[in-house]
Amino acid sequence: MREIFEAELKQIGDDLVAMSRRVEHAIGAAGEALLRQDLALAESVIADDLAIDALERDLDERCVLLLAQQQPVATDLRVVVSALRMSATLERMGDLARHVAQVARARYPHPAIDPALTGVFTEMNDAARRVAQRTTQVLTSHDLTEAEGIERDDDLLDSLHEETFRVLLGGTWTGTPQQTVDVTLLGRYYERFGDHAVSVARRIVFLVTGDFASETRTR
Amino acid sequence: MREIFEAELKQIGDDLVAMSRRVEHAIGAAGEALLRQDLALAESVIADDLAIDALERDLDERCVLLLAQQQPVATDLRVVVSALRMSATLERMGDLARHVAQVARARYPHPAIDPALTGVFTEMNDAARRVAQRTTQVLTSHDLTEAEGIERDDDLLDSLHEETFRVLLGGTWTGTPQQTVDVTLLGRYYERFGDHAVSVARRIVFLVTGDFASETRTR
């Protein structure tokens, strides 16, 4: 019984890693589509999001079956419940990558990002990619230094997000309303991406250390 | 054993309703703070969001304990897992109300909404309040006609959201970048509010009818 449980739990962990790898790929591709006006890449991110959604459904179904058949308690139960929540978070990260790709597609062949902000969004995209890679790492290895790296990159995303507002609201911005709308939404998508990664990281820290405060700290 | 389970499940249902009532109050108050520049009301929405977050934590803990102690299977299990997900969704709706209130607070004593858009945001706020009231109703009564009403109001929120873009991008918009940013973010908050309510409604429809397609329909 215990062996079956361990095997199924390992499968759930592998599924989370597979979802996270897809999210990692999606955010990288979405950023490239955005910064290089790559329509085909944007289309592929949008289409592939359905696969991430399907992985979430499969993973959730697996978790519910595991709860029903193995009736885990204590830490085992918390691991399964955390997996359910992390799959929802990863799915949401996939949605955000899709939203970025949709902006890139809507503006094609023009760039959605005004030259005044290309540098900031290049940095945001780099930070988001790192956050996604670290999320896969933390799910794979439960390495808490990766979790700390996610917190740092999330702080960086927050300050880059504030930087977008400084550019938009500093009095020298001459972009069109469409450009203002795009920067506002894209900035928010990237900022939320960091929040979601932090949520996954804190759940892992909680599972590894039992430090509940780290999971529930108010953001 | 069954009686204890039923009592605990009822408590979880009551907690969800209590959360939903608080969210309903928060969105109504946030909208009023936004449309009438009521700083005290905005502050109260921001402060009260902590209570919604606390309710989510309590409810989740209750669900995990119920899973551990009662080891439900089949429909009972799905009800508990759905409660976990609905509490996360309601918490997110509370966050969105807080975000609306934060915009109202940041612009005070000025209105965040340009007169050209007051009508649209008044309608959005009305639709969001209805959606919140219907969410409480559907959680209380499992009345599927309320769930249909949520879908309709969500469609209305989507079309009002599009209307904000028509105003911003129609060529006659003369708002400042700050006003453009505010309308963009507020429009998105209201639109997301409908999505979350639909998610709660579909979970209830699923629990009542077993129609899994209704729960997982891609948005």
Side-chain angles (χ1 to χ4, degrees):
Chain A
M1 197 71 170
R2 182 73 205 174
E3 275 164 33
I4 296 173
F5 178 77
E6 293 286 354
E8 291 187 8
L9 205 58
K10 183 178 178 313
Q11 185 60 54
I12 286 172
D14 291 348
D15 286 355
L16 281 172
V17 170
M19 266 190 94
S20 186
R21 286 225 168 87
R22 277 193 179 256
V23 169
E24 193 183 318
H25 179 263
I27 194 71
E32 206 169 311
L34 179 71
L35 293 164
R36 299 189 192 180
Q37 293 87 257
D38 187 331
L39 181 63
L41 201 54
E43 297 278 13
S44 79
V45 172
I46 294 162
D48 289 352
D49 188 44
L50 288 176
I52 296 175
D53 294 351
L55 280 174
E56 187 205 9
R57 283 198 294 277
D58 292 351
L59 207 158
D60 285 1
E61 203 48 36
R62 198 186 287 279
C63 288
V64 171
L65 281 176
L66 185 59
L67 289 173
Q69 291 167 352
Q70 301 282 335
Q71 314 240 318
V73 293
T75 304
D76 291 340
L77 173 58
R78 285 188 190 274
V79 168
V80 179
V81 170
S82 287
L84 275 170
R85 288 168 175 159
M86 288 190 283
S87 80
T89 304
L90 290 168
E91 188 273 331
R92 193 71 204 127
M93 289 168 83
D95 285 349
L96 292 170
R98 172 167 54 81
H99 292 332
V100 170
Q102 283 168 326
V103 175
R105 180 175 69 175
R107 296 304 150 254
Y108 181 85
H110 303 289
I113 306 289
D114 182 90
L117 280 156
T118 308
V120 178
F121 275 95
T122 302
E123 276 191 78
M124 282 190 116
N125 184 44
D126 289 346
R129 292 180 71 158
R130 268 199 314 276
V131 149
Q133 285 158 4
R134 287 188 200 275
T135 302
T136 306
Q137 275 300 315
V138 87
L139 284 167
T140 310
S141 67
H142 292 192
D143 177 350
L144 302 191
T145 59
E146 292 292 345
E148 288 165 20
I150 290 173
E151 300 269 357
R152 278 197 307 278
D153 281 327
D154 176 51
D155 290 343
L156 177 59
L157 281 165
D158 287 347
S159 76
L160 290 165
H161 187 216
E162 285 164 21
E163 177 64 19
T164 65
F165 288 128
R166 271 193 294 276
V167 173
L168 292 180
L169 309 174
T172 58
W173 174 249
T174 56
T176 62
Q178 180 72 70
Q179 287 174 314
T180 309
V181 167
D182 287 344
V183 168
T184 303
L185 290 177
L186 289 166
R188 179 154 176 86
Y189 298 150
Y190 276 105
E191 183 260 330
R192 290 293 298 155
F193 199 77
D195 292 346
H196 287 304
V198 164
S199 152
V200 171
R202 289 189 184 165
R203 287 195 193 284
I204 295 290
V205 171
F206 166 58
L207 290 175
V208 173
T209 67
D211 176 9
F212 193 65
S214 69
E215 193 195 21
T216 58
R217 199 177 300 147
T218 304
R219 294 191 52 74
Chain B
M1 196 72 169
R2 182 72 205 174
E3 276 165 32
I4 296 172
F5 178 77
E6 293 286 356
E8 292 188 6
L9 204 58
K10 183 177 177 312
Q11 184 61 53
I12 286 172
D14 290 348
D15 287 355
L16 281 172
V17 169
M19 265 189 96
S20 186
R21 287 226 167 89
R22 276 192 179 257
V23 168
E24 192 183 319
H25 179 263
I27 195 71
E32 205 168 311
L34 179 73
L35 293 164
R36 299 190 192 179
Q37 294 87 256
D38 187 331
L39 181 63
L41 202 54
E43 297 278 12
S44 80
V45 172
I46 294 163
D48 289 353
D49 188 43
L50 288 176
I52 296 176
D53 295 350
L55 281 174
E56 186 205 10
R57 282 198 296 277
D58 291 351
L59 206 157
D60 286 0
E61 203 49 35
R62 199 186 287 278
C63 287
V64 171
L65 281 176
L66 185 59
L67 289 172
Q69 290 167 353
Q70 301 283 334
Q71 313 242 318
V73 294
T75 304
D76 291 341
L77 173 59
R78 285 187 191 276
V79 168
V80 180
V81 170
S82 287
L84 275 171
R85 288 169 174 158
M86 289 190 283
S87 80
T89 304
L90 290 168
E91 187 273 331
R92 194 71 204 128
M93 290 167 82
D95 285 349
L96 292 169
R98 172 167 54 81
H99 292 333
V100 170
Q102 282 168 329
V103 174
R105 180 175 67 175
R107 296 303 150 256
Y108 181 85
H110 304 289
I113 306 288
D114 183 270
L117 279 156
T118 309
V120 178
F121 275 94
T122 301
E123 276 191 78
M124 283 190 116
N125 184 44
D126 289 347
R129 292 179 71 157
R130 269 200 313 277
V131 149
Q133 284 158 2
R134 287 188 200 275
T135 301
T136 306
Q137 275 299 315
V138 87
L139 284 166
T140 310
S141 66
H142 293 191
D143 178 349
L144 302 191
T145 59
E146 292 292 345
E148 288 165 20
I150 290 173
E151 300 268 357
R152 277 198 307 278
D153 282 327
D154 177 51
D155 290 343
L156 176 59
L157 281 166
D158 287 347
S159 76
L160 290 165
H161 187 214
E162 285 164 22
E163 176 65 18
T164 64
F165 289 129
R166 272 193 293 277
V167 173
L168 291 181
L169 309 174
T172 58
W173 173 249
T174 56
T176 62
Q178 180 72 69
Q179 287 173 314
T180 309
V181 167
D182 287 344
V183 168
T184 303
L185 290 178
L186 289 166
R188 180 154 176 85
Y189 299 149
Y190 276 104
E191 183 260 332
R192 291 293 298 155
F193 199 76
D195 292 345
H196 287 303
V198 163
S199 152
V200 171
R202 287 188 185 167
R203 288 193 192 285
I204 296 289
V205 170
F206 167 58
L207 290 174
V208 173
T209 67
D211 176 8
F212 194 64
S214 69
E215 191 196 22
T216 60
R217 199 177 300 145
T218 304
R219 295 190 51 76

